[in-house]
Amino acid sequence: MAETIASHSSSLYRKKFRGALAGFGVLCLAAFALCSGCASVAGDRLAKPASRSDEADGPQKLGVKPVAIRLTAAGQMIDFRYRVVDPKKSLPLFSRQTKTYLVEQASGNTFAVPADTKLGPLRSSSREPLAGKEYFIIFANPGGQLQRGSRVTVAVGDVKIENLTIE
């Protein structure tokens, strides 16, 4: 009788363990699926400006190179990725006091960087940006107004990175 109780309780524990393990596996897969959409992809073609004169103006003044600009969060946000070329010039991108926004070129609509009460603005913040490192800024896209193929400008203070196409 004692053996049946012991075997019953051990099989009960095994079932609970398997259920917990399966739940953990599902949680890991969901986290992987969410994070894989946020990961940056190598390839500078995604956010290349239309002409060389545009490329020389804004990005060089800010000491950065645009890497990608794409829809994220089911189209409700825009993820702008850039690589720091000159850390000293790029400091305005990391200052929370510098007003940063996105402008749709066709309509002139502006899109702000959302701010959370605990996290602050959804953008990279670094006291000392590193050359060659990739950073991000997230812009709100309420109602999914911007779509793939939309032409936009990223404005950082009075400096603009123009003619970017949302991928």
Side-chain angles (χ1 to χ4, degrees):
M1 178 82 169
E3 289 177 8
T4 14
I5 293 172
S7 68
H8 177 64
S9 64
S10 68
S11 69
L12 182 63
Y13 287 123
R14 275 188 246 143
K15 285 180 184 178
K16 285 185 177 183
F17 179 73
R18 279 189 223 140
L21 189 60
F24 179 74
V26 169
L27 183 64
C28 288
L29 285 174
F32 176 76
L34 286 173
C35 292
S36 67
C38 299
S40 56
V41 179
D44 294 344
R45 67 171 180 78
L46 295 178
K48 214 174 243 184
S51 68
R52 288 284 170 203
S53 64
D54 293 334
E55 188 175 355
D57 186 28
Q60 280 197 348
K61 281 184 184 176
L62 288 171
V64 299
K65 181 177 185 179
V67 174
I69 187 161
R70 51 178 94 94
L71 293 170
T72 190
Q76 298 302 304
M77 294 190 172
I78 305 294
D79 180 3
F80 173 60
R81 301 286 173 139
Y82 57 93
R83 185 171 291 116
V84 171
V85 178
D86 184 342
K88 291 199 187 280
K89 288 182 182 179
S90 70
L91 284 174
L93 276 165
F94 297 96
S95 170
R96 293 181 187 248
Q97 286 75 34
T98 305
K99 184 171 168 95
T100 304
Y101 55 95
L102 187 74
V103 180
E104 182 181 19
Q105 292 178 351
S107 68
N109 292 340
T110 59
F111 301 87
V113 176
D116 182 63
T117 54
K118 290 188 179 190
L119 298 174
L122 297 180
R123 60 193 278 184
S124 297
S125 59
S126 177
R127 295 176 201 263
E128 296 179 29
L130 302 173
K133 188 170 178 183
E134 199 172 291
Y135 296 93
F136 71 93
I137 301 174
I138 303 290
F139 296 97
N141 185 21
Q145 295 175 34
L146 296 173
Q147 300 294 319
R148 284 190 174 100
S150 296
R151 307 279 291 170
V152 295
T153 297
V154 174
V156 180
D158 59 349
V159 181
K160 295 179 179 170
I161 302 173
E162 299 178 309
N163 298 323
L164 301 174
T165 304
I166 295 178
E167 193 58 33

